Amino acid sequence: MQNNLSGIFPPLVTVFEDDELNLDRLTRNVRKYERRDLSGYVLFGSNGESVFLTRDEKLEIILSVREQTKKSLIVGTGSDSIKDTIQLTNEAADKGADFALIISPSFFKTEMKHHAFLNYYNKVAGSVMIPVIIYNVPKFTNVNVEVETIIELSKHPNIIGLKESTEIVPRISEIAANVHPGFKLIVGTASVLYAGLISGASGGILALANLLPDECLKVYQSVKEEKLDEALDLQNRLIPVNKAVTNKFGVAGLKAAMDILGYDGGNPRLPLEPLNEAQLIELKMILKSASFLE
Amino acid sequence: MQNNLSGIFPPLVTVFEDDELNLDRLTRNVRKYERRDLSGYVLFGSNGESVFLTRDEKLEIILSVREQTKKSLIVGTGSDSIKDTIQLTNEAADKGADFALIISPSFFKTEMKHHAFLNYYNKVAGSVMIPVIIYNVPKFTNVNVEVETIIELSKHPNIIGLKESTEIVPRISEIAANVHPGFKLIVGTASVLYAGLISGASGGILALANLLPDECLKVYQSVKEEKLDEALDLQNRLIPVNKAVTNKFGVAGLKAAMDILGYDGGNPRLPLEPLNEAQLIELKMILKSASFLE
Amino acid sequence: MQNNLSGIFPPLVTVFEDDELNLDRLTRNVRKYERRDLSGYVLFGSNGESVFLTRDEKLEIILSVREQTKKSLIVGTGSDSIKDTIQLTNEAADKGADFALIISPSFFKTEMKHHAFLNYYNKVAGSVMIPVIIYNVPKFTNVNVEVETIIELSKHPNIIGLKESTEIVPRISEIAANVHPGFKLIVGTASVLYAGLISGASGGILALANLLPDECLKVYQSVKEEKLDEALDLQNRLIPVNKAVTNKFGVAGLKAAMDILGYDGGNPRLPLEPLNEAQLIELKMILKSASFLE
Amino acid sequence: MQNNLSGIFPPLVTVFEDDELNLDRLTRNVRKYERRDLSGYVLFGSNGESVFLTRDEKLEIILSVREQTKKSLIVGTGSDSIKDTIQLTNEAADKGADFALIISPSFFKTEMKHHAFLNYYNKVAGSVMIPVIIYNVPKFTNVNVEVETIIELSKHPNIIGLKESTEIVPRISEIAANVHPGFKLIVGTASVLYAGLISGASGGILALANLLPDECLKVYQSVKEEKLDEALDLQNRLIPVNKAVTNKFGVAGLKAAMDILGYDGGNPRLPLEPLNEAQLIELKMILKSASFLE
């Protein structure tokens, strides 16, 4: 598979019913996304509640989504354990994953620096059957993979991209300008889609694309066509909604917004809880105020 | 098994050779500890590098240590996934674990508050076959289980204690004074052994007890016998060494110090790296300066 | 003046009326404190809202309090500017200050390390007419003066003590055991009064002593008389109240609690705001629940 | 004076000799900058070491720089004290300052939220003789003025702009799209010059413009002329240099880089220290590697 990491990828939410997987409802979402010009899907991103899923549940989900699409399937398979990461990645590949999205190890925070990250990613990338995408998400890991480390890792033939989930645009710019040719940087949140694309990113893995896929695609297209004003206007409408479904209300908010806009989010898994009534009202007001809901 | 959570427990390091488990070397350490008046052992604490171990490796280790001792075996089995936590805990119980040490869930940091912790611990504690000890360790998780939450959870019949790995003594004091009768608070680092015991803690799970078990026991005994000056003097000698084998040099430093003092630490597992020569020299100087090495 | 930095010192709140100083109300508080066995007073600690006071206001307050007492007057005179700090300290000494409490410089956070602190404190201490007490308060400065730095600075003949406003008891223990003879460590918050005194501290500068001076003195006396159980019981009653008047409700809460218990706190200065009705009710419940209010 | 807050403004470093002001050397820098198409100057920004300057030194500097230029003079006059801020701002206006750059109050971190910021800025802006620019710089203050607060404050007729010193481009975008007409957002660090301008900022107050004024102006001009590729290429050359003279080496690095490139930086004031030899070599390599030094 060639490295076609550009465009928009929704990191799919996992649909639960009575706290158990409901694959039918999940694949119904996928069928709706399939009618759009999305580049593929991410399974087991942060907002996919991957930390609450068992290994067996993950493999089931891959099989099920793989049946629905020929597009790129990027699958989150990383953990602090190199052994577990390699094993799960290869099992995922076996079930149909195209790329492995591998979150930076993070438990021993003070030791997770340049050398430890090189050790980790080089070992993993050399032992798995599908290409690796580094996943840097300090808001969840409380560690940061430095620019120099990314540049160094970009030389590995089986490390082909970075999902950068900070809003620090200078990082995007500096990384994109200095990595090995062919290595792609994908922004990890819709808030920096416009600025990221203009600074060298090739696409976005965007929680927001679960509920507003067309609008995310539109920002992407407008930038490609150099219609900057149009892109910025739409970007500015997306920012408050993106804040609501990520930092403000978290996964519960993301799923609630999907429900409101005609997709199927449902409740988050325990220990998370669904939004309460007041939060739901606030969420609707945010959607209305940005004109995504009447 | 009654709730005898008092005294000193070393959280055993996991011994690797060529990056693979070496159970013989691990159990040789245990046999040395068995000659001391320790209260039991912890497997898969943070410094046991539990995040680098697979499920199968963990079960093997439990079986192997269980054979060496009749003392309490406290086993770390927690992760963000409630399902995985319940399953691993029950498997561990099956192999001989007496208590489950369950680290707080932490991935979704902003949501990990009072209600989510109640959801998590009540669900887990109600579904496992052995008593649960809460493990609060903000330096690794970047979340904190509040005093009020601990007090609330202490009422659950199957939640019997807390490993508190901060150095915030007022937390220890307030928790110990307000939890349900019988619930025990164990300090999680040797730096607060003396002050913790004097403030209501019943014991310590101390990385330092891997290398200086007798000295940790001596602080404990001196406090019990109300020889406070003696206890404080020894505590003050322990503090710089404890800093070296935790915050300063991490697991690699802990293992190196064990090697220096006649136990078997070996190298940490990848992606961690052993100390370099300069660090080793500094570590030895710290041990000498505290008179634990000639 | 000899170094008698032991016992309990209230860091006086500054009383405002219509957002301007009211010295009469302030000195009325002092007259009440004078009837207790307190060791002295601190002016312009953090909770004295020193950052909201002008230089002229500060000098006025010193004069006014000096008239009311022969006890030690410790005066906060530090800022990032060495020049300003020296000048204000000498003016304060001129008005009657006995000791200068000098907060660590903190603006350039990443540079405020060992050498910068040595530069700063050595220069200031060598240029002022009264002895210097280092003030380490990371919750406000976001920098930390390391143990090694304190030990080094303790050798300066004009640096005679440390107000340590963290709750990290191992720091207290390690510092107290290693500083130059005669250098005193005073805890900076009532939550660690008991554990700090037992670990080598000589006293406390305690916001809580503005409202509960007798109780703070009682903990101090009980520890001196080795009545540890009594001291710990009272300490445990103080902890929730101390939390309320510091971290939970800040200066506004401290002043409100003083009003409730018969002292004169009044409103904080702008931009701070007084507690609202719901907060006041919660504060009263905390005082009642700890039996300091009927 | 009309609100012409656009273009590039160097926040001037303060030149010291033997730790005392040297106004001649400072004004010699200004004369060099005067030959460029800069929009004005900032005095007493963070990198101007304003926290180390006395009030009298500040007034002297204003007078001296005012004599050299007819361009906009933006002067940092804020502190936590509303009284001091108003007084210093009016004195600065008296000496020739055109705008007051007022850093957010920050001492009582947990209280510095929406209402406190409204209290502070509304009171100050209503009491000073020159227009106010809000200065948000969390890396030094450890507080953040929220987007909603900025939008609210932008309605005040005497609050005319924001210096935003984070690299969070979505903040820039959201603020610029929602503030009161005429209110300007200026980025506070060169790393986000390109992305900020493209997202709605009107200019930059850039430490980097002390050493590379022409290059900063060039990025600005290229964006105005919609030569995005050119702007991005230059931006990417500036990023590593900007990192070196801000986060990596701080004020000492900024001043050293000025010395290397033909301006006059000199040493920082105590307690800061100049770069050591190894750091100087690294700094030169960074400048060479970006082709700003042969």
Side-chain angles (χ1 to χ4, degrees):
Chain A
M1 159 149 297
Q2 74 173 110
N3 181 353
N4 50 6
L5 291 177
S6 52
I8 304 298
F9 301 78
L12 300 179
V13 306
T14 307
V15 188
F16 300 102
E17 199 162 307
D18 299 329
D19 226 41
E20 293 298 329
L21 280 193
N22 187 314
L23 292 174
D24 287 346
R25 290 170 56 188
L26 168 57
T27 52
R28 237 174 295 150
N29 284 334
V30 175
R31 281 197 289 270
K32 288 181 187 166
Y33 299 137
E34 279 288 294
R35 299 197 288 265
R36 270 84 183 182
D37 196 23
L38 297 161
S39 302
Y41 307 99
V42 171
L43 298 178
F44 324 136
S46 299
N47 288 311
E49 296 171 83
S50 61
V51 292
F52 301 150
L53 299 174
T54 66
R55 172 190 157 283
D56 290 348
E57 288 172 336
K58 288 178 188 170
L59 298 178
E60 253 191 285
I61 294 172
I62 300 172
L63 273 177
S64 173
V65 173
R66 182 73 288 173
E67 278 176 16
Q68 306 296 325
T69 187
K70 296 197 147 47
K71 295 182 177 176
S72 288
L73 222 48
I74 301 171
V75 177
T77 54
S79 69
D80 275 74
S81 160
I82 290 175
K83 277 200 157 182
D84 276 343
T85 299
I86 292 168
Q87 194 182 333
L88 181 58
T89 303
N90 285 332
E91 287 172 338
D94 205 51
K95 304 296 185 216
D98 299 310
F99 302 99
L101 178 67
I102 304 213
I103 196 167
S104 71
S106 65
F107 189 77
F108 294 107
K109 304 202 179 320
T110 50
E111 274 89 10
M112 289 304 108
K113 310 268 188 228
H114 189 65
H115 285 291
F117 289 133
L118 295 187
N119 289 343
Y120 178 88
Y121 280 107
N122 283 327
K123 178 74 180 167
V124 168
S127 313
V128 294
M129 304 183 310
I130 50 177
V132 166
I133 301 167
I134 300 164
Y135 181 16
N136 186 49
V137 60
K139 86 170 180 173
F140 289 128
T141 61
N142 288 89
V143 301
N144 190 39
V145 187
E146 296 294 340
V147 171
E148 291 69 24
T149 310
I150 304 284
I151 293 172
E152 181 71 20
L153 287 170
S154 74
K155 298 172 192 161
H156 191 293
N158 202 32
I159 303 181
I160 60 148
L162 166 70
K163 180 188 178 195
E164 170 66 19
S165 288
T166 75
E167 296 177 317
I168 311 295
V169 174
R171 268 181 61 92
I172 295 171
S173 183
E174 189 176 9
I175 292 168
N178 291 286
V179 284
H180 196 264
F183 184 96
K184 297 286 179 63
L185 186 154
I186 309 178
V187 300
T189 177
S191 58
V192 290
L193 180 56
Y194 164 80
L197 291 171
I198 279 172
S199 300
S202 66
I205 295 176
L206 311 171
L208 193 68
N210 279 291
L211 51 140
L212 295 170
D214 297 325
E215 289 75 5
C216 293
L217 283 163
K218 180 80 184 156
V219 172
Y220 180 77
Q221 286 305 335
S222 299
V223 171
K224 292 290 116 181
E225 297 164 13
E226 300 194 9
K227 300 176 183 163
L228 296 195
D229 290 350
E230 219 167 278
L232 180 56
D233 280 353
L234 183 49
Q235 172 72 54
N236 283 335
R237 282 174 61 209
L238 295 178
I239 284 176
V241 178
N242 190 59
K243 252 200 275 192
V245 301
T246 57
N247 296 340
K248 191 179 184 72
F249 294 126
V251 176
L254 173 61
K255 291 182 148 184
M258 290 176 65
D259 289 340
I260 294 169
L261 293 179
Y263 297 91
D264 190 347
N267 288 350
R269 198 171 225 184
L270 279 176
L272 296 181
E273 294 182 340
L275 297 195
N276 61 34
E277 209 44 53
Q279 292 172 317
L280 263 179
I281 290 169
E282 193 181 342
L283 176 60
K284 280 181 194 166
M285 281 177 53
I286 292 168
L287 288 167
K288 280 180 192 174
S289 150
S291 306
F292 296 121
L293 183 68
E294 283 177 24
Chain B
M1 160 149 295
Q2 73 174 111
N3 180 351
N4 50 6
L5 291 178
S6 52
I8 303 298
F9 301 78
L12 300 179
V13 305
T14 307
V15 187
F16 299 102
E17 199 162 307
D18 299 329
D19 225 41
E20 293 297 329
L21 280 194
N22 187 312
L23 293 173
D24 288 345
R25 288 170 57 189
L26 169 58
T27 52
R28 237 173 295 150
N29 284 334
V30 175
R31 281 198 289 271
K32 288 181 186 165
Y33 300 137
E34 279 287 293
R35 299 197 289 265
R36 270 83 183 184
D37 196 23
L38 297 162
S39 302
Y41 307 99
V42 172
L43 298 178
F44 323 136
S46 299
N47 288 310
E49 296 171 83
S50 62
V51 292
F52 301 150
L53 299 173
T54 66
R55 173 192 158 282
D56 290 349
E57 288 172 336
K58 288 177 188 171
L59 298 178
E60 252 191 284
I61 293 171
I62 299 172
L63 273 177
S64 174
V65 174
R66 183 74 286 174
E67 279 176 14
Q68 305 296 326
T69 186
K70 295 196 148 48
K71 295 182 177 176
S72 288
L73 221 49
I74 301 170
V75 176
T77 55
S79 69
D80 275 73
S81 161
I82 289 174
K83 277 200 158 182
D84 276 343
T85 299
I86 292 169
Q87 194 183 333
L88 181 58
T89 304
N90 285 332
E91 288 172 337
D94 206 51
K95 303 297 184 216
D98 298 311
F99 302 99
L101 178 67
I102 305 212
I103 196 168
S104 70
S106 65
F107 188 78
F108 293 108
K109 304 204 180 318
T110 50
E111 274 90 10
M112 290 303 109
K113 309 269 189 225
H114 188 66
H115 285 291
F117 289 134
L118 295 186
N119 289 344
Y120 178 89
Y121 281 107
N122 283 326
K123 178 74 181 167
V124 169
S127 313
V128 295
M129 303 183 311
I130 49 176
V132 166
I133 301 167
I134 300 164
Y135 180 17
N136 186 50
V137 59
K139 84 171 181 172
F140 290 127
T141 61
N142 289 89
V143 301
N144 190 39
V145 187
E146 295 295 341
V147 171
E148 292 68 24
T149 311
I150 304 284
I151 293 171
E152 181 70 22
L153 287 170
S154 74
K155 298 171 191 161
H156 191 293
N158 203 32
I159 303 181
I160 60 148
L162 166 69
K163 180 187 179 195
E164 170 67 18
S165 289
T166 74
E167 296 177 317
I168 311 294
V169 174
R171 268 181 61 92
I172 294 171
S173 183
E174 190 176 9
I175 291 168
N178 292 286
V179 283
H180 196 263
F183 183 97
K184 298 284 179 65
L185 186 153
I186 309 178
V187 301
T189 177
S191 58
V192 290
L193 181 55
Y194 164 80
L197 290 171
I198 279 172
S199 300
S202 65
I205 294 176
L206 311 171
L208 193 69
N210 278 290
L211 51 140
L212 295 170
D214 297 326
E215 289 75 4
C216 293
L217 283 163
K218 180 80 185 156
V219 171
Y220 180 77
Q221 285 306 334
S222 300
V223 172
K224 292 291 117 181
E225 298 163 10
E226 301 194 9
K227 299 176 183 163
L228 296 196
D229 290 350
E230 219 166 279
L232 181 56
D233 280 354
L234 182 50
Q235 172 72 55
N236 283 335
R237 283 174 60 208
L238 294 178
I239 284 176
V241 178
N242 190 58
K243 253 200 273 190
V245 301
T246 59
N247 296 339
K248 191 180 185 71
F249 294 125
V251 176
L254 174 61
K255 290 182 149 183
M258 290 175 65
D259 289 341
I260 294 169
L261 293 179
Y263 296 92
D264 190 346
N267 288 350
R269 197 171 225 183
L270 279 176
L272 296 181
E273 294 182 340
L275 297 194
N276 62 33
E277 209 45 51
Q279 292 172 317
L280 263 179
I281 290 169
E282 193 181 343
L283 176 60
K284 281 181 192 164
M285 281 177 53
I286 292 168
L287 288 167
K288 280 180 191 172
S289 149
S291 306
F292 296 121
L293 183 67
E294 282 176 24
Chain C
M1 159 148 297
Q2 73 175 111
N3 181 351
N4 50 7
L5 291 178
S6 52
I8 303 299
F9 301 78
L12 300 179
V13 304
T14 306
V15 187
F16 300 101
E17 198 162 307
D18 298 329
D19 225 42
E20 293 298 329
L21 279 193
N22 187 311
L23 292 174
D24 287 346
R25 289 170 58 188
L26 169 58
T27 52
R28 235 174 296 152
N29 284 335
V30 175
R31 281 198 289 271
K32 288 180 187 166
Y33 300 137
E34 279 289 291
R35 299 197 289 264
R36 269 85 183 183
D37 196 23
L38 297 161
S39 301
Y41 307 100
V42 171
L43 298 177
F44 324 136
S46 299
N47 287 310
E49 296 170 83
S50 60
V51 292
F52 300 150
L53 300 173
T54 66
R55 172 191 157 281
D56 291 349
E57 289 172 335
K58 288 178 188 170
L59 298 178
E60 253 191 285
I61 294 171
I62 299 172
L63 274 177
S64 173
V65 173
R66 182 74 286 174
E67 278 175 16
Q68 306 296 324
T69 187
K70 295 198 149 45
K71 295 181 177 176
S72 289
L73 221 49
I74 301 171
V75 177
T77 55
S79 69
D80 275 73
S81 161
I82 289 174
K83 276 199 159 183
D84 276 344
T85 299
I86 292 169
Q87 194 182 332
L88 181 58
T89 303
N90 285 332
E91 287 172 338
D94 205 51
K95 304 296 184 216
D98 298 312
F99 302 98
L101 179 66
I102 304 212
I103 196 168
S104 70
S106 64
F107 189 77
F108 294 108
K109 303 202 180 319
T110 50
E111 275 90 9
M112 290 304 108
K113 308 268 189 228
H114 189 66
H115 286 290
F117 288 133
L118 294 187
N119 289 343
Y120 178 89
Y121 280 107
N122 284 327
K123 178 75 180 167
V124 168
S127 313
V128 295
M129 303 183 311
I130 49 176
V132 166
I133 300 167
I134 300 164
Y135 181 15
N136 185 49
V137 59
K139 86 170 180 173
F140 290 128
T141 61
N142 288 90
V143 300
N144 190 39
V145 188
E146 295 294 341
V147 171
E148 291 69 24
T149 310
I150 304 284
I151 293 171
E152 180 70 21
L153 287 169
S154 75
K155 298 172 192 161
H156 191 292
N158 203 32
I159 303 180
I160 60 148
L162 166 70
K163 179 187 178 197
E164 170 67 18
S165 289
T166 74
E167 296 177 318
I168 311 295
V169 174
R171 267 182 62 91
I172 295 171
S173 182
E174 189 175 9
I175 291 168
N178 291 287
V179 284
H180 195 263
F183 184 97
K184 298 286 179 63
L185 186 154
I186 309 178
V187 300
T189 178
S191 58
V192 289
L193 180 56
Y194 164 79
L197 290 171
I198 280 173
S199 300
S202 65
I205 295 176
L206 311 172
L208 193 69
N210 278 291
L211 52 139
L212 294 171
D214 297 327
E215 288 75 5
C216 293
L217 283 163
K218 181 78 186 160
V219 171
Y220 180 76
Q221 286 306 334
S222 300
V223 171
K224 291 291 116 180
E225 297 163 12
E226 301 193 11
K227 298 176 184 162
L228 296 196
D229 290 349
E230 219 167 278
L232 180 56
D233 280 353
L234 183 48
Q235 172 71 54
N236 282 336
R237 283 174 59 210
L238 295 177
I239 283 175
V241 178
N242 189 59
K243 252 200 273 191
V245 301
T246 58
N247 296 340
K248 189 180 185 71
F249 294 126
V251 177
L254 173 61
K255 290 182 149 185
M258 290 175 65
D259 290 341
I260 294 169
L261 293 179
Y263 296 91
D264 191 347
N267 287 351
R269 198 171 224 183
L270 280 175
L272 296 182
E273 296 183 337
L275 297 195
N276 62 33
E277 208 46 50
Q279 292 172 317
L280 263 179
I281 290 169
E282 194 181 343
L283 176 60
K284 280 180 193 164
M285 281 177 53
I286 291 168
L287 288 168
K288 279 180 193 173
S289 148
S291 306
F292 296 121
L293 183 69
E294 283 176 23
Chain D
M1 159 148 297
Q2 72 174 111
N3 181 352
N4 50 6
L5 292 177
S6 53
I8 304 298
F9 301 78
L12 300 179
V13 305
T14 306
V15 187
F16 299 101
E17 199 163 306
D18 299 329
D19 225 42
E20 294 297 329
L21 280 194
N22 187 313
L23 293 174
D24 287 347
R25 289 169 57 187
L26 168 58
T27 53
R28 237 173 296 150
N29 284 336
V30 175
R31 281 199 288 272
K32 289 183 186 165
Y33 299 137
E34 279 288 294
R35 299 197 289 265
R36 270 84 183 183
D37 196 23
L38 297 161
S39 302
Y41 306 99
V42 171
L43 298 178
F44 324 136
S46 299
N47 287 311
E49 295 171 85
S50 61
V51 293
F52 300 150
L53 299 173
T54 66
R55 174 191 156 281
D56 291 348
E57 288 172 336
K58 287 178 189 171
L59 297 178
E60 253 191 285
I61 293 172
I62 299 172
L63 273 176
S64 173
V65 173
R66 183 72 288 174
E67 278 176 16
Q68 305 295 325
T69 186
K70 295 196 149 46
K71 294 182 179 176
S72 288
L73 221 49
I74 301 171
V75 177
T77 55
S79 68
D80 275 74
S81 162
I82 290 175
K83 276 200 157 182
D84 276 344
T85 299
I86 292 169
Q87 195 182 331
L88 181 58
T89 303
N90 285 331
E91 288 173 338
D94 205 52
K95 305 295 184 218
D98 297 312
F99 302 99
L101 179 67
I102 304 212
I103 196 168
S104 72
S106 64
F107 188 78
F108 293 108
K109 304 205 179 317
T110 50
E111 275 90 10
M112 290 303 108
K113 309 270 188 224
H114 189 65
H115 286 290
F117 289 133
L118 294 187
N119 289 343
Y120 178 89
Y121 281 107
N122 283 327
K123 178 75 181 168
V124 168
S127 313
V128 295
M129 303 182 312
I130 49 176
V132 166
I133 301 167
I134 300 164
Y135 181 16
N136 186 49
V137 59
K139 87 171 181 173
F140 290 127
T141 61
N142 288 89
V143 301
N144 189 39
V145 188
E146 296 295 341
V147 170
E148 291 69 23
T149 309
I150 305 284
I151 293 171
E152 180 72 21
L153 287 170
S154 75
K155 298 172 191 162
H156 192 292
N158 202 33
I159 303 180
I160 60 148
L162 166 69
K163 179 186 179 197
E164 170 67 17
S165 289
T166 74
E167 297 177 317
I168 311 294
V169 174
R171 266 182 63 92
I172 294 171
S173 183
E174 189 176 10
I175 291 168
N178 291 287
V179 283
H180 196 262
F183 184 96
K184 298 286 178 64
L185 187 154
I186 310 177
V187 300
T189 177
S191 58
V192 290
L193 180 55
Y194 164 79
L197 291 171
I198 280 173
S199 301
S202 65
I205 295 176
L206 311 172
L208 193 69
N210 279 291
L211 51 140
L212 294 171
D214 297 327
E215 288 76 4
C216 293
L217 283 163
K218 182 79 185 156
V219 172
Y220 180 76
Q221 286 305 335
S222 300
V223 172
K224 292 291 116 180
E225 296 163 13
E226 301 194 10
K227 299 175 183 164
L228 297 195
D229 290 350
E230 220 167 278
L232 181 56
D233 280 353
L234 184 48
Q235 172 71 53
N236 283 335
R237 282 174 60 209
L238 295 177
I239 283 176
V241 178
N242 189 58
K243 250 199 274 189
V245 301
T246 58
N247 296 339
K248 191 181 185 71
F249 294 126
V251 176
L254 174 60
K255 290 182 148 185
M258 289 175 65
D259 290 341
I260 293 169
L261 293 179
Y263 296 91
D264 190 347
N267 288 350
R269 197 171 226 183
L270 280 175
L272 295 182
E273 295 182 340
L275 297 194
N276 62 33
E277 208 45 51
Q279 292 171 317
L280 263 178
I281 290 169
E282 193 181 343
L283 176 60
K284 281 181 192 163
M285 282 177 52
I286 292 168
L287 288 167
K288 280 181 192 173
S289 149
S291 307
F292 296 122
L293 183 69
E294 282 176 26

